[in-house]
Amino acid sequence: MENGLWYKDAIFYELYIKAFQDTNGDGRGDFRGLITRLDYLKDLGIDCIWLLPMYPTPARDDGYDIMDFYNINPEYGTLADFKFFLDAAHKRGLRVIADLVLNHTSDQHPWFLDACRGPESPFYDYFVWSDDPEKYKEARIIFVDSESSNWTMCNENGRYYFHRFFHHQPDLNFDNPEVRQEMKNIIKFWLDMGLDGFRADAVPYLFKREGTNCENLPETHTYLKEIRKFLNENYPGKILLAEANQWPQDLRPYFGDGDEFHMAFHFPIMPRMFMSIKQESHGPIVDIVQRTPDIPENCQWATFLRNHDELTLEMCTDEERDYMYDSYASDKQMKLNLGIRRRLMPLLDRDHRKVELMYALLLTLPGSPIIYYGDEIGMGDNIYLGDRNGVRTPMQWNDNRNAGFSNCNPSRLYAPVITDPDYNYNATNIDSQQNLSSSLLNWLKSMIRIRKKYPILARGKLDFIFPKNKKILAFYLEYQGEIMLCVFNMAATDQPVELFLQKFSGYTPLEITGDTDFPDIGDWPYLLTLGRYGYYLFYLKKKEEEEEE
């Protein structure tokens, strides 16, 4: 594996520091606690940890409202604790990326507090001001449940400030060269400390222009290329991962010519995996993958089943969105903005076969997979916690007090542990699953090992096969002369399928999850039967490979 392209083969793991392990008894996780759990992540097969926001914050948007870009939230520890954690991760061969919030600050950031004085403040031009709240009226409101405008009046100076997200998160003014340089300084600060890159939050919105929707503007791409050039010249091997919730064709420019982002989330593929399994059809997945443009050789998609936000339905048609709400959000408490705030296992009705099928898809469709903490053991959620906090509860390590997360009084926990009968931490926890060979955790570990054994699963070029039975999703991957055939049953019942594989006549399919040879492929249709939500991953062996064995 080329070291500079490590991210193309990597398995990422997304976690909250506050949710992972508490060592000082304050009911919140911290860096010292995270250090004690690094061996667990290494054993799981993770290559890179993605840390959700770790900076000082008033915590009105779970850390995405930053008060100081150059420090660590004191609830999580100190800069020295962070450096100690980083060194401990690197010693285990684990890389670490962190959230970088370019677009906005907290309204409690010293820059904004000073800017509110008016034009005489040196920080006034760090933000976007107007006397007219109708300016940029074509920019959509993102948090439709809580914001009625992208403008909020500043009582101190009598002008409106622009915010793409919550009213307490004023947007930075990227037309100001001082802001652009400040962001580079922040990037330099953390990379000098040893961080391996950033997941860049909300990147489509940096620049604003009248008469546009203020998204994906050329000026935004020009600046992002500047940042990439800065990394290439000073920090080779460090990566930028774009969070841009856009259609694939609109996302493609964020890769540039391989000179902008190294990676970008493939948002639209995620809801369509859930649509496919509910409709028992390969159609939604085939459609979105076929609509996904080719990307430069040195770039990679980032794929996921669930994350810290709602299951976003922004990149769905109105009809698709209604279908998803009807299928996966029976309780109105499950809905938020344009999405569904639930974890993976509850979404899939606690059906382990469905969960395994979805992970098998995640590990074989194009892109580097991101696993959300707790989903590897099928943690539940609490839809009655506010905002998106229902999927951000403490990690469940064992059946001890507070699920082994903290020894504090349970009332001090930043959020209650899950005690619902179906997902109670006494039954759903790391310790119990590590000791059970058939557990979801141990199954996922074995699947990650398989993915690492076959680089074709990370790098292969995908081509679909279209059987008559549309309940079956089938495709093959090709990479450096190797071929992997992947077949999935999207249905809740056993399904037969005929695959026309004459171009692979003479190959022997080795089913890699069970290390079993299947009959040779010939000139006739290849017949398979798959159990409910079953799948096969076949490595196609040539005769000479068999003879060598």
Side-chain angles (χ1 to χ4, degrees), residues 7-241:
Y7 50 91
K8 295 191 73 166
D9 304 274
I11 307 284
F12 289 77
Y13 188 91
E14 175 191 6
L15 64 84
Y16 276 106
I17 303 150
K18 71 175 182 185
F20 222 59
Q21 185 68 60
D22 173 25
T23 55
N24 63 3
D26 68 351
R28 291 176 176 272
D30 44 54
F31 277 112
R32 290 181 179 272
L34 185 47
I35 290 167
T36 68
R37 299 300 189 180
L38 287 174
D39 288 335
Y40 163 75
L41 295 177
K42 181 70 176 172
D43 181 57
L44 180 57
I46 299 306
D47 300 293
C48 184
I49 300 166
W50 160 21
L51 298 176
L52 287 152
M54 58 186 183
Y55 314 100
T57 173
R60 295 183 66 188
D61 184 24
D62 219 25
Y64 286 95
D65 46 338
I66 295 172
M67 291 163 49
D68 181 356
F69 287 97
Y70 293 97
N71 222 322
I72 293 293
N73 185 338
E75 291 175 338
Y76 302 158
T78 64
L79 276 171
D81 291 332
F82 171 73
K83 186 71 172 77
F84 191 45
F85 153 73
L86 211 51
D87 292 343
H90 288 159
K91 280 176 187 168
R92 290 166 174 79
L94 297 170
R95 289 181 166 90
V96 181
I97 65 171
D99 265 326
L100 173 70
V101 182
L102 292 165
N103 183 70
H104 52 264
T105 72
S106 163
D107 63 0
Q108 299 304 302
H109 194 293
W111 298 342
F112 187 72
L113 292 174
D114 195 272
C116 285
R117 293 192 292 119
E120 66 271 22
S121 164
F123 294 104
Y124 182 77
D125 282 337
Y126 270 47
F127 300 92
V128 181
W129 301 93
S130 176
D131 293 319
D132 178 13
E134 290 298 305
K135 195 174 182 185
Y136 308 139
K137 64 178 183 293
E138 292 177 41
R140 67 194 168 103
I141 296 166
I142 291 171
F143 289 153
V144 291
D145 284 1
S146 54
E147 302 294 336
S148 57
S149 170
N150 286 326
W151 293 96
T152 294
M153 167 67 77
C154 172
N155 293 326
E156 234 180 298
N157 64 34
R159 301 193 82 200
Y160 294 93
Y161 63 87
F162 188 84
H163 52 87
R164 212 49 214 271
F165 296 95
F166 291 117
H167 65 274
H168 52 80
Q169 292 170 320
D171 274 29
L172 287 161
N173 174 20
F174 277 85
D175 282 316
N176 182 345
E178 290 181 33
V179 169
R180 298 197 298 271
Q181 184 56 48
E182 191 71 56
M183 284 299 148
K184 286 185 187 173
N185 295 343
I186 292 162
I187 289 167
K188 181 179 189 306
F189 177 83
W190 293 105
L191 295 184
D192 283 346
M193 200 167 282
L195 198 66
D196 295 293
F198 297 96
R199 175 264 195 187
D201 181 67
V203 293
Y205 315 111
L206 303 187
F207 286 81
K208 288 80 177 157
R209 291 292 179 266
E210 196 63 82
T212 75
N213 65 358
C214 299
E215 298 180 23
N216 310 316
L217 298 182
E219 296 89 338
T220 293
H221 289 290
T222 299
Y223 179 62
L224 293 170
K225 286 177 191 284
E226 272 183 44
I227 291 178
R228 172 62 181 272
K229 187 168 183 280
F230 175 68
L231 257 68
N232 286 352
E233 291 173 355
N234 299 285
Y235 304 97
K238 311 285 187 174
I239 68 161
L240 291 170
L241 165 58

Side-chain angles (χ1 to χ4, degrees), residues 297-363:
E297 190 61 36
N298 63 336
C299 295
Q300 177 70 307
W301 294 107
T303 52
F304 60 98
L305 297 175
R306 287 300 303 111
N307 63 15
H308 63 291
D309 285 332
E310 65 270 33
L311 189 163
T312 178
L313 303 175
E314 282 186 82
M315 296 303 114
C316 293
T317 64
D318 290 345
E319 186 180 8
E320 289 170 335
R321 190 175 302 121
D322 290 343
Y323 178 81
M324 286 292 287
Y325 281 144
D326 188 55
S327 301
Y328 289 105
S330 55
D331 186 325
K332 67 178 181 182
Q333 291 281 355
M334 296 171 180
K335 299 179 185 178
L336 184 71
N337 298 317
L338 293 179
I340 301 169
R341 52 177 183 173
R342 301 181 74 190
R343 269 191 178 270
L344 179 65
M345 186 65 86
L347 275 166
L348 297 175
D349 308 314
R350 271 189 93 217
D351 188 327
H352 280 248
R353 293 291 292 268
K354 279 189 193 176
V355 173
E356 290 180 8
L357 173 63
M358 291 287 269
Y359 269 122
L361 284 165
L362 181 73
L363 292 165

